[in-house]
Amino acid sequence: MDFQQSSWNDFFNACLRNRLSPEKFQTLVNAFQFKNSAPPGRQLIRMLLNEGRKSGLEDPRVPLFASELLDMKLCSAADVLASLLPPTAEDTLPDQGLPEMEGILRPSIEASILQMMTLQVGEGLLKTSEAIQAVLRSLIAWMTRYPSSRALGYLMYATLSSPLAHSAIRHPSMKETKVSFGSCLSVLIAQLSQTDLQLATGLDFLQKQYDIRDDVPGQTLELLDGVDLGALSFQESVMDNTPVNTRAGLYVYLNALLYGRPLFDDLFVIDYLNAKYKGDRATLMTDLILAAFDILGNAMYRTESTESITLLRSFLVNKLPVFLNNSAAIDFEPITVEFCISQALVRVDPAAFPSFSQMFDPLGTSSMLSDARQEFLFACALHQLIPEQSIEVLLGDVPMQSLPASGRYAKNDLVAQCSANPTKIEEFIGELENMEGNAGEIAAALLEIIHTLCNNNDTMTLRGVCNTLSRRPQALDVVMLFTQSVTLLQPLCQILDNWQEHEDQGEYQLVYDEFGSILLFIVLVKHRFNLQPHDLGVDSPNSFVLKYIKSACMNRSPDDLTEHENKLLGGWIRGLFEAEGINDELMSMCSPKEFHLLVATLFDQSLKACQAKVLALDTLRGGFEYLLEPFLLPSLAAGLVWFAHLVWETTERATNIEITIPALQSLLKPPSMSSDSSAMHAAVLFIVAKPLEDSLGYAQQQHPLRADINPLLEILKPHAHKQRYEATFHNSLEAWASTAGGGLLAAMRHTIQSLLIWSSTAPASADMTPPQYTHRQLVETVRILGAKTVMQLLLDETMAHFETGSPPDLDVALDIIVTMISSPQHQFPLPSSSSSSALGNSDQHLIPKRQLSLRHALNTEFSQAFDLSKTNASRANMIVRLHRRVEALVGRASSEVNGVVGADADVLMHGVVHNAEGMPTADIDDVLVEADNQLAHEFLAGGGGAAAFLGV
């Protein structure tokens, strides 16, 4: 039996790993049963679930395979329901809510399976009274554990609506079960009446029809004691008109996704846009293209950094055509896509995106974005969204470029090329910054290569990949357009956490070099995007990476070190400052992990020795320069941050400045370095520039007569302020805060009004320049003044248009305000599906608590709207309307499975999805990679190919 169980585990693992289609999965299951009898249904489903979660992520293939097992009658609906719950679920207390959504990006396995079962039960899955009775018994455990789940309510409604439900419930064998079932159902109805009155009413009707009410007198009324029926009645009475989609709304939304760390997750955006446009795909596509041009033009008008403009340009050329291609694959003909593109281009701001003839016109305009239109069109042609011959018509001019000579890249081909010739990796990384439309496939190939190198422990090649990406931060930005930080960094963190020491006595420098290069890349990515530990995918409190992040820049007293650590510290001090130098004996005793955690203490003890005259200053500087060797240089990422902390302790009378500044000079401005060291040194400076610049600026104020501080600041200046996260420059913040009439709030009000004017005028003046906008302003205003204060401002602005009695302006204002509330924000993200799955339940403490978001503030207002309606009915009505619209856009994607069961659920499956490793893939049915036909044939024949197929 154990052997058979192991065989089925291997079978499910192979099917998931090879991304089999449901039809091929069914064929292989039939063949596999001949030699390996299937275990009981409940056990079979649990094995499938366990294999689907082994990667640490939720595999979207699991619900599809579970559906096939149901169709094949290898398990029953009751088996599936029972296997989804923990073994002792019926003995546990009810939870707060069903873990139906893992973050904001995709439904969990439980969510998808409940959705799938609701659809199948509605189509007649339960064909006997016994099957219905078994499902109802399983649902008791579900209702006990999750008494407020709308998804469960939909499944319950589908089950009770089955033709045989009445006879199944009236059967004598259900007499005792009927009592507990009625009690649980009453609780479910009472809870759902607060969130979905229509569903609760339907279940209440069925409960009365089948006479399965709670038999305990007064208990139903008791359950309804906590339900505010007056509030429910008021909320249902609020009327609303059909939402209007404005140019400003999508302009704000895309800006929120791309102003800092790219947050453009395909699944989430597809879900959001489907909810917003309600099936009007042509308008959606046109508006999305136009918004991409608008935010790029806005970045130029705001004189954003070259790196920011390059990222937005890459989004337009490399990301958007891929996204449109996946969205259009089902619903659009090429001529329709071409029409949408033409409709968008005629409304693009000609001042920001002039044609070539305008550029050469002495009276015309010139722009750094003059190539953007034709780059976008050629990328669309590359992805076969439009014919190449249509480009000249759409451009209105003769194009000055052509399709890339190498054609459209394919991920598998790139991976094969790099596997055969690893030097190609650097070449393809360089092409990430090209504006040709191929960056998505390169990024996907790069992610697969990194995962493969980590799985194979090929740290030599991995070192080269990390060094290349560290030298090209803009290429890294492009990669982040197509993936999440967890997908990129988790395998790298794991390889450092599980680092095995090499036994080759002559390779210690190489070991340090490989380890340091990977570590430096992780720290650089963390710094560039301001990532938190949970964003890295680390899943253990004992993780080296976690220890490094928390304590590597803090020195420890020798008394706090172990005997072994003190021995290592003495060895490094002698190696750096005595004639023996750094030798293999020292590095064989000290692992790279131990060294990088000792660096701050090494610096501290060395400077103290110099202050005590035990070590000459020239000797100190000479020893520190040895740390600029490539295999030791990554240690400066933590060491120089320690120096920044030390400089903050400088006072007017401090004497340690006489040693600290010269020591820093030796590390920041060495007399000479190799090319490899120079590139790595630049990456280190990128990480430490901001804290060092701040502390040295303070030291300069304390010691204005010192002439050796300013040269260090000049060295750091080109590397500072390069992070891609939400921090706002002081000059922008000062400008907002000094706005007349209310400071930050007045500035925010002016921004909203300018967006409103633009959106109201844009249809009449198609090429009107977008108002200058950055989502940083909203984020900073919320951070400083709080979400409740900003929420009141947003309500005030909405009410101002309501009171003027101008429906068009009110509709525009509602769209802009709803978008601001529902847009993802860096400071208040729900954990992504990958990050929350990567962290077990015991490690949720790694996810920091965040400041109250605008959506949470609106929820608070909504909970008090009924009381407010007694004194200010119009404002209470507006709160209900805002809440209703926000939840319609993002509520389905961030609470329960609740909205997954519905008409739009299938639309999610037609967009871009992620595979088990979280890598971007294409349409779930048509493009997911299937097993090789020959291997599958051998597998069915029971030959030697089976072992290869199963990976055993």
Side-chain angles (χ1 to χ4, degrees):
M1 192 65 164
D2 291 339
F3 172 76
Q4 287 185 349
Q5 179 173 336
S6 175
S7 298
W8 278 95
N9 282 329
D10 291 340
F11 175 81
F12 287 143
N13 179 276
C15 293
L16 292 168
R17 190 175 64 248
N18 287 279
R19 320 306 300 153
L20 295 184
S21 67
E23 296 78 12
K24 183 166 289 187
F25 172 76
Q26 186 178 100
T27 302
L28 293 180
V29 169
N30 283 325
F32 196 71
Q33 284 187 89
F34 286 116
K35 292 187 177 181
N36 301 271
S37 59
R42 189 174 302 186
Q43 184 180 353
L44 193 69
I45 293 293
R46 281 186 177 153
M47 291 162 62
L48 175 61
L49 289 169
N50 291 337
E51 292 302 322
R53 289 174 171 144
K54 273 191 175 179
S55 66
L57 302 174
E58 302 269 311
D59 194 319
R61 274 287 184 229
V62 170
L64 302 178
F65 290 172
S67 176
E68 294 301 319
L69 294 176
L70 270 173
D71 289 343
M72 298 171 69
K73 297 183 171 49
L74 290 178
C75 61
S76 67
D79 289 334
V80 175
L81 286 171
S83 64
L84 288 173
L85 285 174
T88 57
E90 53 271 27
D91 301 324
T92 61
L93 293 174
D95 285 352
Q96 291 286 329
L98 177 62
E100 296 159 344
M101 294 298 299
E102 297 288 350
I104 61 173
L105 302 177
R106 65 173 75 93
S108 66
I109 286 179
E110 289 89 349
S112 300
I113 291 180
L114 282 181
Q115 172 201 354
M116 173 268 294
M117 289 190 63
T118 299
L119 297 174
Q120 290 200 353
V121 168
E123 294 171 356
L125 173 68
L126 306 177
K127 301 185 183 302
T128 65
S129 296
E130 291 76 12
I132 293 176
Q133 291 168 5
V135 168
L136 292 178
R137 291 189 180 96
S138 297
L139 286 174
I140 293 175
W142 276 87
M143 290 188 290
T144 303
R145 189 172 179 84
Y146 307 116
S148 60
S149 168
R150 285 172 62 195
L152 197 56
Y154 281 113
L155 179 57
M156 179 68 70
Y157 188 87
T159 303
L160 293 177
S161 300
S162 298
L164 298 175
H166 190 261
S167 59
I169 293 170
R170 292 170 60 91
H171 196 275
S173 64
M174 289 289 289
K175 184 176 182 180
E176 295 183 5
T177 304
K178 190 176 175 181
V179 175
S180 56
F181 182 79
S183 299
C184 293
L185 185 57
S186 296
V187 174
L188 181 65
I189 292 171
Q191 295 287 340
L192 289 176
S193 65
Q194 302 178 56
T195 57
D196 193 328
L197 197 56
Q198 184 178 1
L199 176 61
T201 302
L203 287 172
D204 182 62
F205 172 79
L206 291 172
Q207 185 183 36
K208 292 175 181 176
Q209 179 182 355
Y210 296 148
D211 192 25
I212 46 177
R213 292 165 294 178
D214 185 5
D215 288 345
V216 181
Q219 184 161 347
T220 303
L221 292 176
E222 205 174 290
L223 292 168
L224 291 171
D225 284 345
V227 180
D228 191 338
L229 298 179
L232 287 173
S233 177
F234 164 69
Q235 293 162 14
E236 291 295 321
S237 69
V238 174
M239 303 299 291
D240 198 0
N241 55 339
T242 303
V244 172
N245 295 315
T246 66
R247 185 171 179 177
L250 212 49
Y251 176 63
V252 169
Y253 185 70
L254 270 193
N255 201 300
L257 292 175
L258 299 171
Y259 81 96
R261 168 160 59 105
L263 295 177
F264 196 97
D265 182 274
D266 289 356
L267 272 179
F268 181 63
V269 174
I270 286 172
D271 196 18
Y272 179 91
L273 295 178
N274 283 334
K276 185 174 177 65
Y277 283 85
K278 302 185 186 304
D280 185 359
R281 295 299 187 87
T283 303
L284 186 162
M285 182 174 286
T286 302
D287 289 356
L288 187 59
I289 296 168
L290 183 59
F293 278 98
D294 283 343
I295 63 171
L296 182 54
N298 174 61
M300 184 195 71
Y301 288 130
R302 283 179 43 82
T303 61
E304 296 273 2
S305 68
T306 302
E307 290 188 349
S308 293
I309 292 176
T310 301
L311 176 66
L312 294 177
R313 192 170 176 177
S314 186
F315 171 80
L316 175 69
V317 177
N318 288 310
K319 176 69 175 182
L320 187 56
V322 177
F323 183 80
L324 295 176
N325 189 35
N326 288 315
S327 300
I330 295 174
D331 302 283
F332 287 92
E333 295 295 331
I335 187 63
T336 311
V337 177
E338 185 176 333
F339 175 75
C340 294
I341 293 173
S342 67
Q343 289 295 103
L345 290 182
V346 296
R347 300 171 63 190
V348 165
D349 179 14
F353 305 95
S355 65
F356 288 106
S357 56
Q358 288 175 309
M359 288 181 60
F360 294 109
D361 184 352
L363 300 178
T365 59
S366 62
S367 169
M368 63 184 298
L369 302 177
S370 57
D371 291 337
R373 289 197 305 160
Q374 71 165 339
E375 288 169 347
F376 170 70
L377 290 174
F378 274 103
C380 288
L382 182 71
H383 290 278
Q384 300 179 342
L385 284 168
I386 59 174
E388 186 179 358
Q389 57 267 28
S390 298
I391 293 177
E392 184 173 342
V393 177
L394 291 169
L395 198 60
D397 212 334
V398 178
M400 301 298 289
Q401 68 179 65
S402 60
L403 290 173
S406 53
R408 181 177 173 181
Y409 284 167
K411 182 198 74 172
N412 292 339
D413 181 54
L414 298 181
V415 171
Q417 289 185 51
C418 293
S419 299
N421 181 11
T423 60
K424 298 282 289 184
I425 298 176
E426 183 171 359
E427 177 185 331
F428 288 130
I429 290 176
E431 292 185 30
L432 280 167
E433 299 175 48
N434 292 349
M435 301 299 166
E436 296 180 339
N438 274 321
E441 292 299 308
I442 297 174
L446 184 62
L447 289 171
E448 183 167 322
I449 288 167
I450 289 175
H451 280 245
T452 301
L453 293 174
C454 290
N455 290 335
N456 296 338
N457 203 33
D458 186 355
T459 53
M460 173 65 79
T461 308
L462 205 56
R463 164 190 170 275
V465 174
C466 290
N467 284 342
T468 302
L469 284 171
S470 297
R471 291 195 298 268
R472 308 186 77 112
Q474 285 190 251
L476 181 59
D477 294 345
V478 176
V479 171
M480 295 302 291
L481 282 174
F482 298 92
T483 189
Q484 299 171 15
S485 57
V486 170
T487 306
L488 174 65
L489 296 181
Q490 186 180 48
L492 296 172
C493 292
Q494 287 177 345
I495 205 168
L496 293 188
D497 289 342
N498 303 322
W499 189 268
Q500 298 297 320
E501 304 305 325
H502 290 229
E503 298 179 359
D504 188 341
Q505 299 298 313
E507 296 293 326
Y508 291 114
Q509 282 195 16
L510 181 60
V511 171
Y512 268 65
D513 196 3
E514 293 170 357
F515 186 94
S517 295
I518 298 170
L519 177 63
L520 181 62
F521 175 68
I522 293 172
V523 177
L524 184 144
V525 177
K526 177 188 179 299
H527 174 76
R528 185 166 183 82
F529 301 112
N530 194 32
L531 303 178
Q532 301 302 314
H534 69 274
D535 294 317
L536 309 181
V538 289
D539 58 0
S540 168
N542 298 320
S543 163
F544 161 77
V545 176
L546 268 185
K547 292 178 182 177
Y548 180 89
I549 291 170
K550 292 178 179 179
S551 62
C553 60
M554 297 185 290
N555 65 281
R556 292 178 288 166
S557 165
D559 294 337
D560 296 331
L561 300 179
T562 65
E563 181 179 350
H564 176 65
E565 288 172 330
N566 268 306
K567 184 178 179 181
L568 296 179
L569 179 62
W572 280 104
I573 290 175
R574 288 190 298 273
L576 290 175
F577 306 117
E578 295 182 5
E580 62 184 81
I582 307 299
N583 53 41
D584 287 343
E585 181 182 356
L586 173 61
M587 288 189 287
S588 67
M589 293 169 49
C590 182
S591 70
K593 293 181 183 179
E594 293 171 321
F595 168 69
H596 284 278
L597 294 176
L598 271 178
V599 168
T601 304
L602 174 62
F603 279 167
D604 176 63
Q605 293 299 309
S606 301
L607 264 65
K608 286 179 178 177
C610 191
Q611 287 175 327
K613 309 296 184 184
V614 175
L615 195 64
L617 180 58
D618 287 342
T619 305
L620 178 77
R621 296 182 63 174
F624 279 0
E625 287 177 5
Y626 196 74
L627 294 173
L628 297 170
E629 292 294 327
F631 71 100
L632 297 178
L633 207 154
S635 66
L636 297 186
L640 288 174
V641 174
W642 176 85
F643 263 104
H645 296 165
L646 178 67
V647 173
W648 276 112
E649 300 171 7
T650 301
T651 63
E652 295 180 22
R653 300 179 181 177
T655 58
N656 64 343
I657 194 78
E658 302 295 337
I659 297 173
T660 304
I661 297 301
L664 267 175
Q665 286 175 333
S666 64
L667 296 172
L668 296 181
K669 192 178 181 181
S672 63
M673 280 192 298
S674 66
S675 59
D676 288 344
S677 293
S678 295
M680 194 172 286
H681 190 255
V684 169
L685 291 184
F686 170 80
I687 295 168
V688 304
K690 188 63 171 65
L692 267 179
E693 185 182 53
D694 292 342
S695 61
L696 286 172
Y698 169 76
Q700 195 173 42
Q701 294 175 358
Q702 298 295 315
H703 303 273
L705 298 180
R706 290 193 69 98
D708 53 358
I709 297 179
N710 194 62
L712 298 182
L713 289 170
E714 291 298 317
I715 293 171
L716 296 171
K717 190 175 181 180
H719 304 280
H721 308 293
K722 296 289 187 181
Q723 300 89 345
R724 284 213 59 84
Y725 57 87
E726 63 271 10
T728 302
F729 293 138
H730 293 301
N731 55 354
S732 297
L733 195 57
E734 288 175 2
W736 298 330
S738 60
T739 303
L744 289 173
L745 285 179
M748 195 70 242
R749 184 179 295 111
H750 174 74
T751 297
I752 294 171
Q753 291 171 354
S754 65
L755 289 168
L756 177 63
I757 294 170
W758 175 59
S759 247
S760 301
T761 313
S765 179
D767 59 355
M768 185 177 178
T769 301
Q772 293 191 23
Y773 176 79
T774 174
H775 207 65
R776 285 187 177 88
Q777 182 183 5
L778 179 62
V779 171
E780 286 297 309
T781 306
V782 171
R783 183 181 65 83
I784 295 170
L785 300 179
K788 291 183 179 180
T789 301
V790 178
M791 191 66 241
Q792 294 305 315
L793 168 69
L794 299 181
L795 285 170
D796 290 343
E797 285 302 300
T798 309
M799 289 304 299
H801 296 286
F802 174 75
E803 290 163 0
T804 60
S806 175
D809 285 351
L810 176 60
D811 288 335
V812 173
L814 278 170
D815 186 58
I816 293 171
I817 300 302
V818 166
T819 303
M820 287 182 167
I821 296 171
S822 59
S823 294
Q825 298 173 26
H826 295 258
Q827 283 153 313
F828 330 108
L830 292 172
S832 69
S833 56
S834 48
S835 65
S836 58
S837 299
L839 296 171
N841 292 332
S842 62
D843 299 310
Q844 292 299 313
H845 65 279
L846 298 176
I847 302 179
K849 294 186 181 298
R850 301 285 184 160
Q851 185 180 6
L852 191 71
S853 70
L854 287 173
R855 186 180 169 208
H856 292 141
L858 178 60
N859 288 339
T860 302
E861 295 290 329
F862 177 72
S863 67
Q864 301 166 358
F866 178 56
D867 293 334
L868 179 64
S869 68
K870 300 170 185 176
T871 57
N872 192 339
S874 59
R875 192 178 183 92
N877 285 2
M878 192 58 64
I879 290 171
V880 172
R881 292 174 69 179
L882 279 173
H883 182 268
R884 193 178 288 163
R885 293 191 182 197
V886 168
E887 292 306 306
L889 291 177
V890 297
R892 296 178 304 126
S894 56
S895 54
E896 290 191 312
V897 173
N898 300 337
V900 173
V901 181
D904 288 336
D906 61 329
V907 179
L908 279 172
M909 307 306 288
H910 293 313
V912 178
V913 298
H914 292 72
N915 65 16
E917 288 87 31
M919 295 183 184
T921 60
D923 178 76
I924 195 165
D925 287 321
D926 298 327
V927 191
L928 279 171
V929 179
E930 295 185 355
D932 179 81
N933 290 333
Q934 182 60 35
L935 280 176
H937 177 76
E938 293 178 4
F939 178 60
L940 287 170
F949 180 81
L950 292 171
V952 296

